[in-house]
Amino acid sequence: MPMIPVASPRSAGRLDVIAGPMFSGKSEELMRRVRRAKIAGVKVLVLSHSLDTRSDLSAITSHDGINIPAVPVGDVESLAEVARADDFDLVAIDEAQFFGPDLVPTVFELVERGATVIVEGLCVTFDGGPFEPMPTFMAVAEDVLKLTAVCTICGRDAVFHQRVGTPGFIAEDSEPRATDIDASHIGGLESYVARCREHFAPPR
Ligand code: ADP
Ligand code: MG
């Protein structure tokens, strides 16, 4: 089970992962843990990617519009700079996939310095492949929470999300690739839908 960090002499910290497709409640779960940690009086840093323009830049927002304050950063270097600036007990990172695989060594460094790091993000691309860096984090985390959304066709557990109108859709050069680190992974009900294994129809 994930634990709230306690203020004590610093030894190595821990890595907790919250992973799943879009709409699976990753941001809600991250916000719940951050709220609890703040009640416990630990020093918390919440980081979001400045590509995520769904709401106020200085907040994490769920698909239901709930939000908590966050520091927006544009790349791994800026993230590392903000996170190293103080001895945070808990560093929470929203939408980790936006930072790409370069995020891995920075997160490991923060954990080794004694922080509890919660990394939240998409572990699957919209064409159904693994989405780094989440699979790497899942391999070495102290705790992994793998969430599912609700399939918008049948209501079963959805481990995938796909772009709206994807059945029969043929990717053009101008279409975003599933692993692109750009705004194509931002969106809500208007751009993506959650799908179970049976109803998932990835782009060809
Ligand atoms: P994530 O960060 O994983 O994309 P959020 O935490 O932002 O997800 O939002 C989760 C919320 O999205 C749910 O509590 C629910 O109200 C809403 N939602 C909308 N569509 C779906 C769906 N298909 N499956 C599950 N939740 C959905
Ligand atoms: Mg989210």
Side-chain angles (χ1 to χ4, degrees):
M1 280 295 290
M3 287 163 44
I4 295 176
V6 289
S8 61
R10 293 219 140 195
S11 51
R14 56 179 284 135
L15 175 61
D16 294 333
V17 167
I18 304 169
M22 274 187 200
F23 307 107
S24 58
K26 303 182 302 298
S27 295
E28 285 178 351
E29 176 61 19
L30 185 74
M31 291 190 259
R32 189 183 75 85
R33 293 187 195 183
V34 166
R35 252 182 256 118
R36 287 175 59 89
K38 285 184 177 167
I39 292 168
V42 301
K43 199 184 278 187
V44 182
L45 172 66
V46 184
L47 295 159
S48 62
H49 199 291
S50 45
L51 262 179
D52 193 342
T53 51
R54 275 179 297 189
S55 68
D56 185 348
L57 264 184
S58 52
I60 293 178
T61 305
S62 79
H63 288 291
D64 282 346
I66 302 158
N67 62 67
I68 58 167
V71 179
V73 283
D75 52 35
V76 175
E77 289 70 33
S78 320
L79 180 150
E81 204 174 306
V82 175
R84 285 181 194 130
D86 206 339
D87 274 340
F88 294 104
D89 301 306
L90 176 65
V91 178
I93 304 171
D94 188 52
E95 302 276 15
Q97 77 283 348
F98 285 143
F99 294 98
D102 289 349
L103 182 60
V104 173
T106 295
V107 164
F108 289 173
E109 179 203 314
L110 296 172
V111 170
E112 276 151 28
R113 281 162 48 117
T116 290
V117 180
I118 306 177
V119 177
E120 177 264 284
L122 295 175
C123 55
V124 63
T125 59
F126 62 70
D127 61 2
F131 202 166
E132 290 294 345
M134 294 307 288
T136 296
F137 288 133
M138 291 162 90
V140 295
E142 272 74 13
D143 183 79
V144 177
L145 178 64
K146 174 72 159 53
L147 295 170
T148 56
V150 176
C151 176
T152 53
I153 293 182
C154 70
R156 276 181 286 199
D157 285 348
V159 293
F160 301 108
H161 57 271
Q162 67 184 57
R163 291 170 70 78
V164 167
T166 329
F169 160 88
I170 296 167
E172 304 286 345
D173 285 349
S174 59
E175 287 292 340
R177 281 173 303 145
T179 52
D180 278 352
I181 299 171
D182 68 17
S184 66
H185 291 281
I186 302 161
L189 292 167
E190 72 288 357
S191 329
Y192 292 95
V193 284
R195 287 292 160 84
C196 69
R197 202 170 292 284
E198 189 177 327
H199 292 117
F200 178 57
R204 277 181 272 131

